[in-house]
Amino acid sequence: MYDESRTTEEAVEFADFNAKLLVLDVLCYDLDVLEPYDGESEDDADEDLDVEGQDDRAREYYDDLELLPSQLSLVTELSVDSDLEVLQDVHPGWDGSDDRYDPQNWDDVLDLPALTTVYAAAPLPAHVAERLAAKGVDVRSA
């Protein structure tokens, strides 16, 4: 795991929580740089779900998680897909049938310094795909 205790870096604030979730999926589950959310017990899980089925504690955990520039520089690939583990943490059982976790502001993704590839289960918005391509990022859509 990444040791934040000895760094002088300032955390990067994401303009869009859903874009942050895409990056967190890589850092928590693919690279094991950050600790993913781990609910304390299944007994308490149901009481933390809001009306829409979102786990409010998981959302708060990921919202509060600080991302440092050195961590963001490790992200070379992103997946835009409803099957991401971090999305299942935030919304257990969500089937991706709506756009509630689609980023609306992609600026933070576009600013990732080492990003080379974006895998998308569905076509990205044209303006986002164009800006990624202009940066030399390979966009692969299903």
Side-chain angles (χ1 to χ4, degrees):
M1 289 290 149
Y2 194 85
D3 181 11
E4 294 181 32
S5 62
R6 294 185 234 168
T7 185
T8 58
E9 292 180 282
E10 295 226 8
V12 174
E13 291 293 326
F14 269 65
D16 188 296
F17 179 68
N18 294 339
K20 182 178 181 180
L21 288 174
L22 298 176
V23 173
L24 283 170
D25 193 74
V26 173
L27 293 173
C28 292
Y29 288 104
D30 296 344
L31 301 177
D32 295 322
V33 172
L34 295 171
E35 191 69 35
Y37 174 75
D38 182 25
E40 287 80 7
S41 73
E42 291 184 28
D43 296 336
D44 297 336
D46 286 343
E47 64 191 52
D48 294 315
L49 298 180
D50 71 8
V51 177
E52 298 287 323
Q54 178 176 271
D55 184 329
D56 291 334
R57 287 193 303 175
R59 182 182 174 90
E60 182 179 351
Y61 173 82
Y62 285 125
D63 196 32
D64 292 345
L65 206 55
E66 292 187 341
L67 298 178
L68 303 175
S70 59
Q71 295 166 326
L72 297 179
S73 71
L74 299 172
V75 178
T76 59
E77 297 181 346
L78 278 182
S79 292
V80 182
D81 193 337
S82 62
D83 289 340
L84 297 179
E85 291 176 86
V86 73
L87 295 178
Q88 291 302 310
D89 291 344
V90 172
H91 198 132
W94 180 64
D95 63 3
S97 60
D98 56 43
D99 63 357
R100 76 180 68 201
Y101 295 106
D102 290 352
Q104 299 304 304
N105 182 331
W106 291 82
D107 291 345
D108 296 306
V109 169
L110 290 160
D111 289 341
L112 292 171
L115 187 64
T116 61
T117 310
V118 173
Y119 300 97
L124 296 176
H127 71 282
V128 174
E130 290 168 7
R131 288 178 63 196
L132 287 167
K135 287 188 61 166
V137 175
D138 183 21
V139 178
R140 299 180 187 179
S141 295

